[in-house]
Amino acid sequence: MPAAKHDLLAGRPLPAAGPRARLRERLRAWYRAERRDLPWRRTSDPYAIWISEAMLQQTRVEAVVEYYARFLERFPSLRALSEADVEAVLATWSGLGYYRRARALHAAARVIAVEHGGEFPRDHAAALALPGVGRYTAGAVQSIAFDAPRALVDGNVERVFSRLFGLETAAGSRPLQDACWTLAEHLVPRRGGAGEWNQALMELGATVCTPRSPRCGSCPLERVCAARAAGSAERLPAPKERPPTIDVELELALARRGSTVLLERRAATGRMAGMWQLPSVERARPDMRTALFPPDWTGGARLALGPGLFDLRHTITKHRIVARVRRATATHVAAGGPYRWVEVAEIGALAVTGMTKKALARAMPEPD
Ligand code: SF4
């Protein structure tokens, strides 16, 4: 076997044909018996698989199941997504977070409709050229939908490989990523079964080779696992250095007028661009303002804050937010500005931030 070029694999032979075939066979047999019945596993439609892959990035399976069904009901085909208004796409995505994914899906759907006849491209370079589609997503969609011999590495695969091959380095680091991609390319079946192999690897990482307390005794790869043999499964891969969390304190103003509530549209660029939220402002430690929220809400509205209703906890990437929702009275709202009185019954059609969605659900559980 050719020696791997990367440092982490230098000096180690990659699995030869025999062990590689046995590895595939063991994992495949396990997957067929143990795999979870997830909605996106019941289809070979590249569009539906693509949607699931976009949603699953950085989001738990349990949360995705519900959004996946709703999204496909609203946009049942790539054509439907490409013809939709981005606002409607964001509204349907609202609550899943990482809204760039939704914007990229929409932009890519438009490219696919115009340049690829409405079907997710089979050509790898063409897929990689789409907005928001990287090596992982292209590999996932093409292997699962078309059974193309494409490798993939996500967090689950990285953990499995790190343990299986005893790769002692930090999770998410460049050397580990490179080594895992080399292994993934080497191991992916070339003559059929790539999609199943990729899903089996991810499933093993999600359900058996878990970040904490891996269930090695139930693992089909136990006998060939380097970390199992060395007793190092629990500590591999080494934890990645995380940026420190930033505590943010906010005021959210709940101003109502009849059957409407006052919402504020975020700026057209930056995080959660163009989405709607309750007028929000950071209150504590102005020196530490995060730029996640505007410094005040005077640009088009004048609000008098009333009593606090409740506190809400919400996390946006590294920002840990405590938001105090307060009753408010608007004494002036300028026409044409970022503020708008919105019918409560119509809020569902707007792209509303996850935190505002939470706040409204708690403040007004039933629409007026
Ligand atoms: S034996 Fe344990 S550490 Fe190794 S792949 Fe299986 S679950 Fe992961």
Side-chain angles (χ1 to χ4, degrees), residues 317-353:
T317 58
K318 61 180 189 270
H319 299 90
R320 207 165 42 191
I321 299 167
V322 177
R324 167 146 301 182
V325 179
R326 294 176 64 168
R327 237 182 252 298
T329 308
T331 53
H332 169 73
V333 175
Y339 298 87
R340 195 201 292 171
W341 292 104
V342 179
E343 288 290 336
V344 171
E346 288 169 10
I347 290 175
L350 288 181
V352 175
T353 65

Side-chain angles (χ1 to χ4, degrees), residues 17-37:
R20 180 167 59 177
R22 285 195 290 281
L23 195 67
R24 287 176 184 156
E25 200 36 58
R26 276 193 195 126
L27 192 59
R28 190 171 67 168
W30 170 83
Y31 181 65
R32 288 182 178 177
E34 303 292 339
R35 67 185 204 158
R36 292 168 295 175
D37 178 26

Side-chain angles (χ1 to χ4, degrees), residues 52-218:
S52 72
E53 290 299 337
M55 289 186 169
L56 285 164
Q57 287 168 37
Q58 292 152 313
T59 308
R60 288 176 306 109
V61 164
E62 299 73 32
V64 169
V65 169
E66 183 192 329
Y67 278 90
Y68 172 80
R70 199 181 315 149
F71 196 92
L72 287 184
E73 197 177 312
R74 180 77 178 74
F75 311 107
S77 64
L78 190 138
R79 183 100 18 219
L81 178 60
S82 72
E83 289 170 357
D85 196 271
V86 70
E87 183 79 21
V89 178
L90 291 169
T92 311
W93 195 274
S94 172
L96 256 187
Y98 297 97
Y99 296 95
R100 263 174 307 193
R101 294 181 295 178
R103 287 183 185 281
L105 266 181
H106 181 250
R110 294 201 156 172
V111 175
I112 294 171
V114 173
E115 296 180 13
H116 302 289
E119 189 179 297
F120 193 93
R122 289 172 184 258
D123 178 75
H124 202 51
L128 289 173
L130 296 169
V133 175
R135 209 171 166 193
Y136 168 81
T137 305
V141 177
Q142 293 181 327
S143 67
I144 296 169
F146 309 134
D147 204 22
R150 292 287 167 207
L152 59 77
V153 175
D154 71 346
N156 285 316
V157 175
E158 184 190 84
R159 185 169 55 258
V160 170
F161 283 171
S162 160
R163 292 170 174 171
L164 192 57
F165 297 98
L167 305 174
E168 303 254 356
T169 194
S173 64
R174 175 54 58 195
L176 184 57
Q177 281 280 300
D178 289 350
C180 288
W181 275 102
T182 300
L183 287 162
E185 301 279 4
H186 177 70
L187 294 171
V188 70
R190 304 275 156 196
R191 296 193 199 91
E196 188 179 48
W197 164 257
N198 284 334
Q199 290 180 90
L201 270 177
M202 293 191 283
E203 187 77 345
L204 188 75
T207 61
V208 176
C209 195
T210 45
R212 280 182 220 100
S213 310
R215 297 190 295 115
C216 300
S218 309

